[in-house]
Amino acid sequence: MRLDNRRVPTARITQNVLSAGETGGEAVLFVHGNVSSAAFWRGTLTALPGGYRPLAVDLRGFGDTDPAPVDATRGLRDYSDDVLALIDALGLTGVHLVGWSMGGGVVLQALRDRPSAVRSVTLVNPVSPYGFGGTHGPDGALNHPAGVGGGAGAANPDFVRLLAAGDRSDGSPVSPRNVFRGTYVKPGTVIEDEDALVESMLSTRVGEDNYPGDAVSSDVWPGVAPGTRGLLNALAPTYFRLDDLHVIDPKPPILWIRGEADVIVSDTSLFDLAHLGALGVVPGSPGTPAQPMVTQTRAALRRYGDHSEVVLDCGHSPHIERPEEFRAALVDHLKRS
């Protein structure tokens, strides 16, 4: 099936959209995660059965969408408002939203702000409803009022440097290619279109207004706090929190698909400074507990009500690693919604 690629002007920014299938089918809008683009959904778009209109958007600062700045103090709303503006521009109603990783937080924020536009939600290894880093416990209690442990300062500077340089090699353990191999997928998994997915990662706009954002230091361990600009700060628990998702009306059904070997979104995430402190990788930890990301998502969805969970033998990217099993679960959810 051929994929169409076009830029769509909206009331906010011009967004790049990949599409496939019937223009009159039920709209299924796929939202990618951090350091990626709509290209990560190519295989899923072309494999959906008839009766659906599959679409995948490049978020701001990724792919071919406008590299507009991100106001981190709004949490993920710059992204979710863009998604809702795209839905309006395309004249879509009753949309099935599918969000992976950071994109899971984006679709949950869109659901929280306009539930009437959403027919169903599918979360794929989503970020916790309490952001990334700086919290503990199932209800996302802050480790410190300033949100220390989260934000752009938590990014690996060598990875950011290689990303900005467009590095395609496997010469460094933190090159985009090796980060893909070691954390986006379960180590040892061979992905045929790896080169194309690395190119997608390299489409990320690097800087204080996009990824990772403005880094802020802190006197409190682990020495970083959220800034006010850019993506990783938008994920900070001081700005992105969905404590009241369970009160929305209507409540479309939510499917949660996750890889059991995920090391990015995990109760023991290798990207969580608190967990790295417990391992001794980040020195000086006062015993700050790791963020239980999966536990937090499960608690929030139980409060929400209408949800189901599917666990696959893979890492952070079920749609890439286990495409047939992923699509089977997704299509079953779409049919029942």
Side-chain angles (χ1 to χ4, degrees):
M1 182 184 295
R2 185 174 66 90
L3 284 172
D4 292 321
N5 192 72
R6 67 183 177 116
R7 280 168 55 82
V8 179
T10 75
R12 290 174 57 78
I13 58 173
T14 297
Q15 303 180 57
N16 189 66
V17 179
L18 287 177
S19 61
E22 305 173 13
T23 58
E26 295 178 20
V28 187
L29 180 56
F30 295 86
V31 183
H32 65 82
N34 191 11
V35 190
S36 63
S37 74
F40 271 73
W41 294 114
R42 285 181 177 273
T44 306
L45 294 180
T46 57
L48 279 191
Y52 297 103
R53 182 184 179 185
L55 306 158
V57 61
D58 288 335
L59 296 173
R60 65 169 59 198
F62 298 96
D64 292 321
T65 285
D66 290 352
V70 176
D71 178 357
T73 66
R74 304 187 71 236
L76 291 176
R77 277 195 169 96
D78 271 349
Y79 300 106
S80 61
D81 285 352
D82 290 347
V83 168
L84 293 172
L86 177 65
I87 288 172
D88 292 339
L90 295 175
L92 306 178
T93 58
V95 180
H96 300 281
L97 291 179
V98 184
W100 166 51
S101 193
M102 181 266 289
V106 173
V107 302
L108 283 179
Q109 187 67 66
L111 171 66
R112 171 64 187 85
D113 292 342
R114 200 193 296 179
S116 61
V118 182
R119 183 164 179 172
S120 76
V121 169
T122 300
L123 304 174
V124 187
N125 291 61
V127 66
S128 164
Y130 308 109
F132 200 99
T135 68
H136 64 274
D139 296 326
L142 288 172
N143 294 337
H144 185 274
V148 295
N156 185 306
D158 291 327
F159 171 71
V160 175
R161 175 179 56 82
L162 293 171
L163 185 68
D167 187 283
R168 294 168 175 80
S169 76
D170 58 2
S172 165
V174 293
S175 70
R177 186 177 298 275
N178 280 334
V179 168
F180 174 85
R181 291 174 178 175
T183 65
Y184 279 44
V185 300
K186 187 176 180 178
T189 304
V190 177
I191 304 298
E192 290 185 3
D193 57 348
E194 177 184 280
D195 286 347
L197 298 179
V198 171
E199 290 300 319
S200 169
M201 295 171 69
L202 295 176
S203 76
T204 303
R205 306 312 198 278
V206 176
E208 291 191 337
D209 282 326
N210 295 111
Y211 178 85
D214 58 327
V216 176
S217 61
S218 171
D219 293 334
V220 179
W221 190 90
V224 297
T228 61
R229 299 155 60 194
L231 190 152
L232 293 189
N233 295 315
L235 285 169
T238 46
Y239 303 136
F240 176 66
R241 295 186 67 85
L242 291 171
D243 297 288
D244 58 352
L245 190 65
H246 59 285
V247 306
I248 67 170
D249 184 31
K251 286 190 178 70
I254 296 177
L255 169 64
W256 177 23
I257 304 176
R258 65 180 182 89
E260 63 179 355
D262 189 359
V263 298
I264 297 177
V265 175
S266 167
D267 284 1
T268 52
S269 170
L270 296 182
F271 290 74
D272 177 17
L273 294 183
H275 179 58
L276 294 177
L279 295 177
V281 176
V282 178
S285 171
T288 303
Q291 180 184 6
M293 302 176 188
V294 173
T295 296
Q296 290 174 349
T297 295
R298 182 172 291 116
L301 292 181
R302 284 176 175 168
R303 283 194 298 272
Y304 180 86
D306 190 358
H307 78 282
S308 56
E309 178 181 350
V310 172
V311 183
L312 301 179
D313 179 17
C314 62
H316 188 60
S317 311
H319 53 304
I320 301 297
E321 301 169 79
R322 299 287 183 184
E324 293 184 1
E325 295 169 75
F326 170 79
R327 290 193 297 265
L330 171 62
V331 171
D332 180 64
H333 179 59
L334 298 178
K335 289 179 177 178
R336 290 186 289 105
S337 300

Short mmCIF file of all heavy atoms in Angstrom, two decimals, residues 4-9 13-18 32 36-39 42 56-68 199-205:
data_model
loop_
_atom_site.label_atom_id
_atom_site.label_comp_id
_atom_site.label_asym_id
_atom_site.label_seq_id
_atom_site.Cartn_x
_atom_site.Cartn_y
_atom_site.Cartn_z
N ASP A 4 0.99 8.28 1.56
CA ASP A 4 1.01 9.68 1.14
C ASP A 4 1.60 10.53 2.25
O ASP A 4 1.35 10.29 3.43
CB ASP A 4 -0.41 10.17 0.82
CG ASP A 4 -0.99 9.51 -0.41
OD1 ASP A 4 -0.23 9.30 -1.38
OD2 ASP A 4 -2.19 9.16 -0.40
N ASN A 5 2.37 11.52 1.86
CA ASN A 5 3.05 12.40 2.80
C ASN A 5 2.68 13.84 2.44
O ASN A 5 2.95 14.29 1.34
CB ASN A 5 4.56 12.20 2.68
CG ASN A 5 5.33 12.83 3.81
OD1 ASN A 5 5.30 12.36 4.93
ND2 ASN A 5 6.03 13.91 3.52
N ARG A 6 2.01 14.55 3.36
CA ARG A 6 1.64 15.93 3.04
C ARG A 6 1.67 16.79 4.29
O ARG A 6 1.52 16.30 5.41
CB ARG A 6 0.27 16.01 2.38
CG ARG A 6 -0.91 15.63 3.28
CD ARG A 6 -2.21 15.69 2.50
NE ARG A 6 -3.36 15.28 3.27
CZ ARG A 6 -4.38 16.09 3.59
NH1 ARG A 6 -4.37 17.34 3.20
NH2 ARG A 6 -5.41 15.64 4.28
N ARG A 7 1.90 18.08 4.06
CA ARG A 7 1.90 19.05 5.14
C ARG A 7 0.53 19.70 5.22
O ARG A 7 -0.01 20.16 4.21
CB ARG A 7 3.00 20.09 4.91
CG ARG A 7 4.37 19.56 5.33
CD ARG A 7 5.51 20.43 4.85
NE ARG A 7 5.39 21.82 5.26
CZ ARG A 7 5.74 22.30 6.46
NH1 ARG A 7 6.22 21.48 7.39
NH2 ARG A 7 5.63 23.58 6.74
N VAL A 8 -0.03 19.72 6.43
CA VAL A 8 -1.39 20.20 6.65
C VAL A 8 -1.36 21.48 7.47
O VAL A 8 -0.94 21.45 8.64
CB VAL A 8 -2.23 19.12 7.37
CG1 VAL A 8 -3.65 19.65 7.61
CG2 VAL A 8 -2.25 17.83 6.58
N PRO A 9 -1.79 22.61 6.92
CA PRO A 9 -1.88 23.83 7.73
C PRO A 9 -2.99 23.68 8.77
O PRO A 9 -4.08 23.19 8.48
CB PRO A 9 -2.23 24.92 6.70
CG PRO A 9 -1.92 24.32 5.36
CD PRO A 9 -2.15 22.84 5.51
N ILE A 13 0.10 25.30 13.83
CA ILE A 13 1.30 25.17 13.01
C ILE A 13 0.98 24.28 11.82
O ILE A 13 -0.08 23.65 11.77
CB ILE A 13 2.47 24.54 13.81
CG1 ILE A 13 2.08 23.15 14.34
CG2 ILE A 13 2.94 25.44 14.95
CD1 ILE A 13 3.22 22.39 14.99
N THR A 14 1.88 24.23 10.85
CA THR A 14 1.73 23.31 9.73
C THR A 14 2.38 21.99 10.10
O THR A 14 3.55 21.95 10.51
CB THR A 14 2.37 23.89 8.45
OG1 THR A 14 1.68 25.09 8.10
CG2 THR A 14 2.27 22.91 7.30
N GLN A 15 1.62 20.91 9.96
CA GLN A 15 2.07 19.60 10.43
C GLN A 15 2.17 18.60 9.29
O GLN A 15 1.33 18.58 8.39
CB GLN A 15 1.08 19.07 11.49
CG GLN A 15 0.90 20.04 12.66
CD GLN A 15 -0.07 19.53 13.69
OE1 GLN A 15 0.09 18.44 14.24
NE2 GLN A 15 -1.10 20.32 14.00
N ASN A 16 3.20 17.79 9.35
CA ASN A 16 3.40 16.76 8.33
C ASN A 16 2.65 15.50 8.74
O ASN A 16 2.74 15.06 9.89
CB ASN A 16 4.88 16.44 8.17
CG ASN A 16 5.13 15.54 6.99
OD1 ASN A 16 4.90 15.93 5.84
ND2 ASN A 16 5.59 14.32 7.24
N VAL A 17 1.92 14.92 7.77
CA VAL A 17 1.07 13.77 8.05
C VAL A 17 1.33 12.67 7.02
O VAL A 17 1.32 12.93 5.82
CB VAL A 17 -0.43 14.16 8.04
CG1 VAL A 17 -1.30 12.94 8.31
CG2 VAL A 17 -0.71 15.25 9.07
N LEU A 18 1.54 11.46 7.50
CA LEU A 18 1.58 10.27 6.66
C LEU A 18 0.19 9.65 6.68
O LEU A 18 -0.46 9.58 7.73
CB LEU A 18 2.58 9.25 7.19
CG LEU A 18 4.07 9.54 7.04
CD1 LEU A 18 4.88 8.43 7.72
CD2 LEU A 18 4.45 9.65 5.58
N HIS A 32 3.79 9.54 17.53
CA HIS A 32 5.08 8.94 17.85
C HIS A 32 5.62 9.42 19.19
O HIS A 32 5.06 10.31 19.85
CB HIS A 32 6.09 9.23 16.73
CG HIS A 32 6.43 10.68 16.58
ND1 HIS A 32 7.36 11.33 17.36
CD2 HIS A 32 5.95 11.63 15.71
CE1 HIS A 32 7.45 12.59 17.00
NE2 HIS A 32 6.60 12.81 16.00
N SER A 36 12.03 10.59 17.47
CA SER A 36 11.52 9.71 16.42
C SER A 36 10.65 10.58 15.50
O SER A 36 10.79 11.80 15.48
CB SER A 36 10.71 8.54 17.01
OG SER A 36 9.57 9.00 17.70
N SER A 37 9.76 9.96 14.76
CA SER A 37 8.82 10.70 13.91
C SER A 37 7.73 9.74 13.48
O SER A 37 7.71 8.57 13.88
CB SER A 37 9.55 11.29 12.68
OG SER A 37 9.85 10.26 11.75
N ALA A 38 6.85 10.23 12.61
CA ALA A 38 5.77 9.38 12.09
C ALA A 38 6.30 8.16 11.35
O ALA A 38 5.58 7.17 11.19
CB ALA A 38 4.87 10.21 11.17
N ALA A 39 7.55 8.21 10.90
CA ALA A 39 8.13 7.08 10.16
C ALA A 39 8.11 5.79 10.97
O ALA A 39 8.11 4.69 10.40
CB ALA A 39 9.55 7.42 9.73
N ARG A 42 5.18 3.52 9.91
CA ARG A 42 4.96 3.16 8.51
C ARG A 42 4.41 1.74 8.35
O ARG A 42 3.44 1.52 7.62
CB ARG A 42 6.26 3.30 7.71
CG ARG A 42 6.64 4.75 7.42
CD ARG A 42 7.93 4.81 6.60
NE ARG A 42 8.28 6.18 6.26
CZ ARG A 42 7.83 6.83 5.20
NH1 ARG A 42 7.00 6.23 4.36
NH2 ARG A 42 8.20 8.07 4.96
N ALA A 56 -0.58 9.26 10.53
CA ALA A 56 0.48 9.43 11.53
C ALA A 56 1.06 10.82 11.38
O ALA A 56 1.41 11.25 10.28
CB ALA A 56 1.56 8.37 11.37
N VAL A 57 1.18 11.53 12.49
CA VAL A 57 1.63 12.92 12.47
C VAL A 57 3.06 13.04 12.99
O VAL A 57 3.45 12.32 13.91
CB VAL A 57 0.68 13.81 13.31
CG1 VAL A 57 0.65 13.36 14.77
CG2 VAL A 57 1.04 15.28 13.18
N ASP A 58 3.84 13.92 12.37
CA ASP A 58 5.10 14.36 12.96
C ASP A 58 4.77 15.45 13.97
O ASP A 58 4.16 16.47 13.60
CB ASP A 58 6.03 14.96 11.89
CG ASP A 58 6.62 13.93 10.95
OD1 ASP A 58 6.73 12.75 11.33
OD2 ASP A 58 6.99 14.31 9.82
N LEU A 59 5.15 15.27 15.22
CA LEU A 59 4.95 16.30 16.22
C LEU A 59 5.88 17.48 15.97
O LEU A 59 6.88 17.37 15.25
CB LEU A 59 5.17 15.73 17.62
CG LEU A 59 4.19 14.63 18.06
CD1 LEU A 59 4.64 14.03 19.38
CD2 LEU A 59 2.77 15.17 18.15
N ARG A 60 5.57 18.62 16.58
CA ARG A 60 6.40 19.80 16.39
C ARG A 60 7.84 19.51 16.79
O ARG A 60 8.12 18.88 17.82
CB ARG A 60 5.87 21.01 17.16
CG ARG A 60 5.88 20.89 18.66
CD ARG A 60 5.58 22.23 19.34
NE ARG A 60 4.29 22.77 18.95
CZ ARG A 60 3.94 24.04 19.10
NH1 ARG A 60 4.79 24.91 19.65
NH2 ARG A 60 2.74 24.45 18.73
N GLY A 61 8.78 19.93 15.94
CA GLY A 61 10.18 19.69 16.22
C GLY A 61 10.68 18.33 15.77
O GLY A 61 11.83 17.98 16.05
N PHE A 62 9.85 17.56 15.06
CA PHE A 62 10.24 16.25 14.56
C PHE A 62 9.83 16.11 13.10
O PHE A 62 8.84 16.72 12.66
CB PHE A 62 9.59 15.12 15.37
CG PHE A 62 9.96 15.11 16.82
CD1 PHE A 62 9.15 15.71 17.77
CD2 PHE A 62 11.12 14.49 17.25
CE1 PHE A 62 9.48 15.69 19.11
CE2 PHE A 62 11.46 14.46 18.59
CZ PHE A 62 10.64 15.06 19.53
N GLY A 63 10.56 15.28 12.36
CA GLY A 63 10.18 15.02 10.98
C GLY A 63 10.09 16.29 10.17
O GLY A 63 10.96 17.17 10.25
N ASP A 64 9.00 16.42 9.41
CA ASP A 64 8.82 17.58 8.53
C ASP A 64 7.77 18.56 9.03
O ASP A 64 7.31 19.42 8.28
CB ASP A 64 8.43 17.09 7.12
CG ASP A 64 9.58 16.36 6.44
OD1 ASP A 64 10.73 16.81 6.61
OD2 ASP A 64 9.33 15.35 5.76
N THR A 65 7.38 18.43 10.30
CA THR A 65 6.47 19.43 10.90
C THR A 65 7.29 20.64 11.34
O THR A 65 8.48 20.55 11.60
CB THR A 65 5.72 18.79 12.09
OG1 THR A 65 4.71 17.93 11.57
CG2 THR A 65 5.06 19.83 12.99
N ASP A 66 6.63 21.79 11.42
CA ASP A 66 7.31 23.02 11.82
C ASP A 66 8.07 22.83 13.13
O ASP A 66 7.54 22.23 14.08
CB ASP A 66 6.30 24.15 12.01
CG ASP A 66 5.69 24.63 10.70
OD1 ASP A 66 6.16 24.20 9.63
OD2 ASP A 66 4.75 25.45 10.75
N PRO A 67 9.29 23.33 13.21
CA PRO A 67 10.07 23.23 14.45
C PRO A 67 9.71 24.32 15.45
O PRO A 67 10.56 25.09 15.90
CB PRO A 67 11.51 23.38 13.94
CG PRO A 67 11.39 24.28 12.76
CD PRO A 67 10.08 23.92 12.10
N ALA A 68 8.42 24.41 15.77
CA ALA A 68 7.97 25.46 16.68
C ALA A 68 8.50 25.20 18.09
O ALA A 68 8.70 24.05 18.50
CB ALA A 68 6.44 25.49 16.70
N GLU A 199 17.31 7.36 10.68
CA GLU A 199 17.08 8.64 10.00
C GLU A 199 15.92 9.40 10.64
O GLU A 199 15.96 10.63 10.79
CB GLU A 199 16.80 8.41 8.51
CG GLU A 199 17.99 7.94 7.72
CD GLU A 199 19.15 8.92 7.74
OE1 GLU A 199 18.91 10.14 7.64
OE2 GLU A 199 20.30 8.46 7.88
N SER A 200 14.90 8.66 11.03
CA SER A 200 13.76 9.28 11.72
C SER A 200 14.21 9.91 13.03
O SER A 200 13.82 11.05 13.36
CB SER A 200 12.68 8.23 11.97
OG SER A 200 11.68 8.71 12.84
N MET A 201 15.03 9.21 13.79
CA MET A 201 15.55 9.77 15.03
C MET A 201 16.33 11.06 14.77
O MET A 201 16.20 12.04 15.52
CB MET A 201 16.45 8.75 15.73
CG MET A 201 15.74 7.49 16.20
SD MET A 201 16.89 6.21 16.80
CE MET A 201 17.51 6.98 18.30
N LEU A 202 17.10 11.07 13.69
CA LEU A 202 17.94 12.22 13.38
C LEU A 202 17.15 13.41 12.87
O LEU A 202 17.71 14.51 12.71
CB LEU A 202 19.00 11.82 12.35
CG LEU A 202 20.04 10.78 12.83
CD1 LEU A 202 20.97 10.39 11.70
CD2 LEU A 202 20.83 11.31 14.02
N SER A 203 15.85 13.23 12.62
CA SER A 203 15.01 14.36 12.23
C SER A 203 14.64 15.25 13.42
O SER A 203 14.03 16.31 13.25
CB SER A 203 13.72 13.86 11.56
OG SER A 203 12.80 13.35 12.52
N THR A 204 15.02 14.82 14.64
CA THR A 204 14.72 15.58 15.85
C THR A 204 15.44 16.94 15.83
O THR A 204 16.64 17.01 15.57
CB THR A 204 15.18 14.79 17.09
OG1 THR A 204 14.54 13.51 17.09
CG2 THR A 204 14.87 15.54 18.37
N ARG A 205 14.72 18.03 16.09
CA ARG A 205 15.34 19.35 16.22
C ARG A 205 15.97 19.45 17.60
O ARG A 205 15.29 19.26 18.62
CB ARG A 205 14.32 20.47 16.06
CG ARG A 205 13.48 20.44 14.81
CD ARG A 205 14.27 20.24 13.52
NE ARG A 205 13.49 20.63 12.36
CZ ARG A 205 12.57 19.88 11.76
NH1 ARG A 205 12.31 18.67 12.22
NH2 ARG A 205 11.91 20.33 10.70
#
